[in-house]
Amino acid sequence: MSLENDSYANTTSEQTSAQSSSLIPQQVMSVEFDVTVKDWWIEGGRLVIPKDSRQYFPKPGEPIVLIDYEGRMYRSKMHNLWQGVDVGRIDGIKPFYRNHPIITPGTKLHVKLTGKNTAVVLMGERPSRQVVVDQ
């Protein structure tokens, strides 16, 4: 093969790979939702995804990375909520709850999906505690 043909082959393969990557649809999405923490989520190290947002998450068994509001990353994978549901929860995030003891049952979390397998979890509202004053 001559040098001229070799450079042509490289150019052609570069063009082909560029064309094929442009044919793949770009998965650009951003979905945001709030969830209210339940006590069994903390105990089991779970985060349940609301039904209307599940289609935006990876399939069961695929990886997911949660990033908390302090920038720490928690690697896990998607799970079924129960049999017959494609996706419903993220398991294995006990370290997330351990690192944030202020997240208690009733705390509202704001979740923003920022890519195919990355979600940012922000503090929403903390449950209000009423103080009873004896008079």
Side-chain angles (χ1 to χ4, degrees):
M1 180 181 258
S2 71
L3 181 60
E4 182 179 328
N5 288 340
D6 189 34
S7 65
Y8 174 77
N10 288 338
T11 306
T12 304
S13 64
E14 288 171 9
Q15 288 173 348
T16 305
S17 64
Q19 288 171 349
S20 64
S21 66
S22 67
L23 296 177
I24 299 170
Q26 295 292 324
Q27 188 173 9
V28 178
M29 67 180 144
S30 179
V31 63
E32 296 183 43
F33 56 89
D34 291 329
V35 291
T36 302
V37 175
K38 295 177 174 48
D39 57 350
W40 62 273
W41 293 11
I42 296 170
E43 179 75 21
R46 296 181 178 118
L47 179 65
V48 176
I49 310 302
K51 188 175 186 176
D52 56 344
S53 300
R54 292 178 186 158
Q55 73 270 17
Y56 301 109
F57 281 81
K59 294 177 182 170
E62 291 184 353
I64 182 88
V65 176
L66 295 180
I67 302 171
D68 69 12
Y69 46 90
E70 294 178 356
R72 288 181 277 209
M73 296 173 63
Y74 304 88
R75 297 181 189 283
S76 188
K77 64 180 182 175
M78 299 303 301
H79 290 271
N80 290 332
L81 187 56
W82 53 78
Q83 192 172 14
V85 176
D86 288 337
V87 64
R89 71 178 199 259
I90 301 168
D91 280 7
I93 58 168
K94 279 187 181 179
F96 169 76
Y97 292 114
R98 275 193 222 117
N99 287 335
H100 301 290
I102 60 173
I103 297 176
T104 57
T107 302
K108 188 179 285 186
L109 296 177
H110 185 75
V111 180
K112 180 178 181 182
L113 192 64
T114 59
K116 183 181 179 206
N117 60 356
T118 305
V120 178
V121 181
L122 305 169
M123 278 290 286
E125 300 172 8
R126 291 180 62 187
S128 60
R129 298 182 187 233
Q130 294 180 348
V131 178
V132 177
V133 179
D134 292 332
Q135 293 182 357

PDB file of all heavy atoms in Angstrom, residues 5-24:
ATOM      1  N   ASN A   5      -2.325   6.045  -0.550  1.00  0.00           N
ATOM      2  CA  ASN A   5      -3.493   5.222  -0.237  1.00  0.00           C
ATOM      3  C   ASN A   5      -3.707   5.111   1.274  1.00  0.00           C
ATOM      4  O   ASN A   5      -4.834   5.084   1.735  1.00  0.00           O
ATOM      5  CB  ASN A   5      -3.355   3.828  -0.841  1.00  0.00           C
ATOM      6  CG  ASN A   5      -3.518   3.865  -2.339  1.00  0.00           C
ATOM      7  OD1 ASN A   5      -4.075   4.816  -2.870  1.00  0.00           O
ATOM      8  ND2 ASN A   5      -3.022   2.845  -3.019  1.00  0.00           N
ATOM      9  N   ASP A   6      -2.607   5.041   2.023  1.00  0.00           N
ATOM     10  CA  ASP A   6      -2.704   4.924   3.470  1.00  0.00           C
ATOM     11  C   ASP A   6      -3.367   6.168   4.068  1.00  0.00           C
ATOM     12  O   ASP A   6      -4.225   6.074   4.930  1.00  0.00           O
ATOM     13  CB  ASP A   6      -1.311   4.708   4.068  1.00  0.00           C
ATOM     14  CG  ASP A   6      -1.375   4.356   5.540  1.00  0.00           C
ATOM     15  OD1 ASP A   6      -2.344   3.677   5.951  1.00  0.00           O
ATOM     16  OD2 ASP A   6      -0.469   4.763   6.264  1.00  0.00           O
ATOM     17  N   SER A   7      -2.990   7.342   3.612  1.00  0.00           N
ATOM     18  CA  SER A   7      -3.599   8.565   4.138  1.00  0.00           C
ATOM     19  C   SER A   7      -5.063   8.654   3.715  1.00  0.00           C
ATOM     20  O   SER A   7      -5.896   9.131   4.466  1.00  0.00           O
ATOM     21  CB  SER A   7      -2.837   9.805   3.679  1.00  0.00           C
ATOM     22  OG  SER A   7      -2.940   9.957   2.277  1.00  0.00           O
ATOM     23  N   TYR A   8      -5.398   8.170   2.540  1.00  0.00           N
ATOM     24  CA  TYR A   8      -6.789   8.145   2.090  1.00  0.00           C
ATOM     25  C   TYR A   8      -7.613   7.230   2.982  1.00  0.00           C
ATOM     26  O   TYR A   8      -8.722   7.554   3.393  1.00  0.00           O
ATOM     27  CB  TYR A   8      -6.875   7.684   0.632  1.00  0.00           C
ATOM     28  CG  TYR A   8      -8.299   7.496   0.164  1.00  0.00           C
ATOM     29  CD1 TYR A   8      -9.099   8.579  -0.169  1.00  0.00           C
ATOM     30  CD2 TYR A   8      -8.851   6.221   0.099  1.00  0.00           C
ATOM     31  CE1 TYR A   8     -10.405   8.413  -0.572  1.00  0.00           C
ATOM     32  CE2 TYR A   8     -10.166   6.042  -0.310  1.00  0.00           C
ATOM     33  CZ  TYR A   8     -10.931   7.136  -0.643  1.00  0.00           C
ATOM     34  OH  TYR A   8     -12.225   6.965  -1.039  1.00  0.00           O
ATOM     35  N   ALA A   9      -7.053   6.079   3.357  1.00  0.00           N
ATOM     36  CA  ALA A   9      -7.763   5.132   4.212  1.00  0.00           C
ATOM     37  C   ALA A   9      -8.049   5.746   5.580  1.00  0.00           C
ATOM     38  O   ALA A   9      -9.134   5.604   6.123  1.00  0.00           O
ATOM     39  CB  ALA A   9      -6.952   3.844   4.366  1.00  0.00           C
ATOM     40  N   ASN A  10      -7.078   6.475   6.135  1.00  0.00           N
ATOM     41  CA  ASN A  10      -7.296   7.119   7.430  1.00  0.00           C
ATOM     42  C   ASN A  10      -8.366   8.194   7.346  1.00  0.00           C
ATOM     43  O   ASN A  10      -9.211   8.312   8.212  1.00  0.00           O
ATOM     44  CB  ASN A  10      -5.993   7.745   7.950  1.00  0.00           C
ATOM     45  CG  ASN A  10      -5.015   6.687   8.407  1.00  0.00           C
ATOM     46  OD1 ASN A  10      -5.413   5.568   8.724  1.00  0.00           O
ATOM     47  ND2 ASN A  10      -3.742   7.038   8.443  1.00  0.00           N
ATOM     48  N   THR A  11      -8.335   8.973   6.283  1.00  0.00           N
ATOM     49  CA  THR A  11      -9.331  10.030   6.104  1.00  0.00           C
ATOM     50  C   THR A  11     -10.716   9.430   5.960  1.00  0.00           C
ATOM     51  O   THR A  11     -11.670   9.881   6.569  1.00  0.00           O
ATOM     52  CB  THR A  11      -9.007  10.876   4.852  1.00  0.00           C
ATOM     53  OG1 THR A  11      -7.678  11.349   4.967  1.00  0.00           O
ATOM     54  CG2 THR A  11      -9.963  12.028   4.713  1.00  0.00           C
ATOM     55  N   THR A  12     -10.810   8.383   5.183  1.00  0.00           N
ATOM     56  CA  THR A  12     -12.103   7.736   4.972  1.00  0.00           C
ATOM     57  C   THR A  12     -12.633   7.163   6.271  1.00  0.00           C
ATOM     58  O   THR A  12     -13.809   7.330   6.590  1.00  0.00           O
ATOM     59  CB  THR A  12     -11.977   6.621   3.910  1.00  0.00           C
ATOM     60  OG1 THR A  12     -11.437   7.198   2.733  1.00  0.00           O
ATOM     61  CG2 THR A  12     -13.316   5.995   3.614  1.00  0.00           C
ATOM     62  N   SER A  13     -11.793   6.488   7.057  1.00  0.00           N
ATOM     63  CA  SER A  13     -12.263   5.898   8.307  1.00  0.00           C
ATOM     64  C   SER A  13     -12.662   6.984   9.296  1.00  0.00           C
ATOM     65  O   SER A  13     -13.615   6.828  10.040  1.00  0.00           O
ATOM     66  CB  SER A  13     -11.205   4.972   8.914  1.00  0.00           C
ATOM     67  OG  SER A  13     -10.060   5.714   9.276  1.00  0.00           O
ATOM     68  N   GLU A  14     -11.948   8.110   9.307  1.00  0.00           N
ATOM     69  CA  GLU A  14     -12.325   9.216  10.180  1.00  0.00           C
ATOM     70  C   GLU A  14     -13.680   9.773   9.776  1.00  0.00           C
ATOM     71  O   GLU A  14     -14.519  10.056  10.614  1.00  0.00           O
ATOM     72  CB  GLU A  14     -11.269  10.319  10.134  1.00  0.00           C
ATOM     73  CG  GLU A  14      -9.978   9.948  10.830  1.00  0.00           C
ATOM     74  CD  GLU A  14      -8.876  10.967  10.595  1.00  0.00           C
ATOM     75  OE1 GLU A  14      -9.178  12.048  10.039  1.00  0.00           O
ATOM     76  OE2 GLU A  14      -7.733  10.679  10.947  1.00  0.00           O
ATOM     77  N   GLN A  15     -13.899   9.940   8.464  1.00  0.00           N
ATOM     78  CA  GLN A  15     -15.174  10.460   7.990  1.00  0.00           C
ATOM     79  C   GLN A  15     -16.296   9.480   8.317  1.00  0.00           C
ATOM     80  O   GLN A  15     -17.372   9.874   8.736  1.00  0.00           O
ATOM     81  CB  GLN A  15     -15.123  10.700   6.481  1.00  0.00           C
ATOM     82  CG  GLN A  15     -14.266  11.882   6.084  1.00  0.00           C
ATOM     83  CD  GLN A  15     -14.097  11.984   4.575  1.00  0.00           C
ATOM     84  OE1 GLN A  15     -14.427  11.050   3.841  1.00  0.00           O
ATOM     85  NE2 GLN A  15     -13.577  13.117   4.126  1.00  0.00           N
ATOM     86  N   THR A  16     -16.045   8.196   8.136  1.00  0.00           N
ATOM     87  CA  THR A  16     -17.061   7.179   8.408  1.00  0.00           C
ATOM     88  C   THR A  16     -17.443   7.179   9.880  1.00  0.00           C
ATOM     89  O   THR A  16     -18.617   7.140  10.219  1.00  0.00           O
ATOM     90  CB  THR A  16     -16.557   5.778   7.986  1.00  0.00           C
ATOM     91  OG1 THR A  16     -16.165   5.841   6.628  1.00  0.00           O
ATOM     92  CG2 THR A  16     -17.626   4.736   8.186  1.00  0.00           C
ATOM     93  N   SER A  17     -16.436   7.239  10.777  1.00  0.00           N
ATOM     94  CA  SER A  17     -16.752   7.239  12.203  1.00  0.00           C
ATOM     95  C   SER A  17     -17.475   8.524  12.602  1.00  0.00           C
ATOM     96  O   SER A  17     -18.366   8.504  13.431  1.00  0.00           O
ATOM     97  CB  SER A  17     -15.491   7.048  13.048  1.00  0.00           C
ATOM     98  OG  SER A  17     -14.620   8.136  12.873  1.00  0.00           O
ATOM     99  N   ALA A  18     -17.125   9.650  11.993  1.00  0.00           N
ATOM    100  CA  ALA A  18     -17.812  10.905  12.281  1.00  0.00           C
ATOM    101  C   ALA A  18     -19.249  10.849  11.800  1.00  0.00           C
ATOM    102  O   ALA A  18     -20.159  11.311  12.476  1.00  0.00           O
ATOM    103  CB  ALA A  18     -17.077  12.071  11.628  1.00  0.00           C
ATOM    104  N   GLN A  19     -19.460  10.259  10.620  1.00  0.00           N
ATOM    105  CA  GLN A  19     -20.815  10.146  10.095  1.00  0.00           C
ATOM    106  C   GLN A  19     -21.646   9.206  10.946  1.00  0.00           C
ATOM    107  O   GLN A  19     -22.793   9.484  11.243  1.00  0.00           O
ATOM    108  CB  GLN A  19     -20.781   9.652   8.643  1.00  0.00           C
ATOM    109  CG  GLN A  19     -20.279  10.684   7.668  1.00  0.00           C
ATOM    110  CD  GLN A  19     -20.060  10.099   6.280  1.00  0.00           C
ATOM    111  OE1 GLN A  19     -20.100   8.892   6.098  1.00  0.00           O
ATOM    112  NE2 GLN A  19     -19.814  10.973   5.317  1.00  0.00           N
ATOM    113  N   SER A  20     -21.067   8.066  11.347  1.00  0.00           N
ATOM    114  CA  SER A  20     -21.842   7.112  12.133  1.00  0.00           C
ATOM    115  C   SER A  20     -22.177   7.671  13.499  1.00  0.00           C
ATOM    116  O   SER A  20     -23.254   7.432  14.024  1.00  0.00           O
ATOM    117  CB  SER A  20     -21.105   5.778  12.271  1.00  0.00           C
ATOM    118  OG  SER A  20     -19.904   5.960  12.993  1.00  0.00           O
ATOM    119  N   SER A  21     -21.275   8.471  14.108  1.00  0.00           N
ATOM    120  CA  SER A  21     -21.589   9.057  15.410  1.00  0.00           C
ATOM    121  C   SER A  21     -22.663  10.134  15.274  1.00  0.00           C
ATOM    122  O   SER A  21     -23.416  10.367  16.196  1.00  0.00           O
ATOM    123  CB  SER A  21     -20.339   9.618  16.077  1.00  0.00           C
ATOM    124  OG  SER A  21     -19.839  10.703  15.332  1.00  0.00           O
ATOM    125  N   SER A  22     -22.738  10.793  14.121  1.00  0.00           N
ATOM    126  CA  SER A  22     -23.773  11.806  13.936  1.00  0.00           C
ATOM    127  C   SER A  22     -25.140  11.161  13.701  1.00  0.00           C
ATOM    128  O   SER A  22     -26.158  11.793  13.907  1.00  0.00           O
ATOM    129  CB  SER A  22     -23.422  12.738  12.775  1.00  0.00           C
ATOM    130  OG  SER A  22     -23.461  12.040  11.551  1.00  0.00           O
ATOM    131  N   LEU A  23     -25.153   9.887  13.296  1.00  0.00           N
ATOM    132  CA  LEU A  23     -26.413   9.189  13.101  1.00  0.00           C
ATOM    133  C   LEU A  23     -27.017   8.713  14.418  1.00  0.00           C
ATOM    134  O   LEU A  23     -28.212   8.496  14.507  1.00  0.00           O
ATOM    135  CB  LEU A  23     -26.210   7.979  12.175  1.00  0.00           C
ATOM    136  CG  LEU A  23     -25.786   8.309  10.735  1.00  0.00           C
ATOM    137  CD1 LEU A  23     -25.539   7.025   9.956  1.00  0.00           C
ATOM    138  CD2 LEU A  23     -26.829   9.162  10.047  1.00  0.00           C
ATOM    139  N   ILE A  24     -26.178   8.558  15.445  1.00  0.00           N
ATOM    140  CA  ILE A  24     -26.668   8.138  16.748  1.00  0.00           C
ATOM    141  C   ILE A  24     -27.333   9.335  17.403  1.00  0.00           C
ATOM    142  O   ILE A  24     -26.712  10.384  17.548  1.00  0.00           O
ATOM    143  CB  ILE A  24     -25.509   7.621  17.628  1.00  0.00           C
ATOM    144  CG1 ILE A  24     -24.843   6.420  16.977  1.00  0.00           C
ATOM    145  CG2 ILE A  24     -26.009   7.271  19.028  1.00  0.00           C
ATOM    146  CD1 ILE A  24     -23.558   5.994  17.650  1.00  0.00           C
TER     147      ILE A  24
END
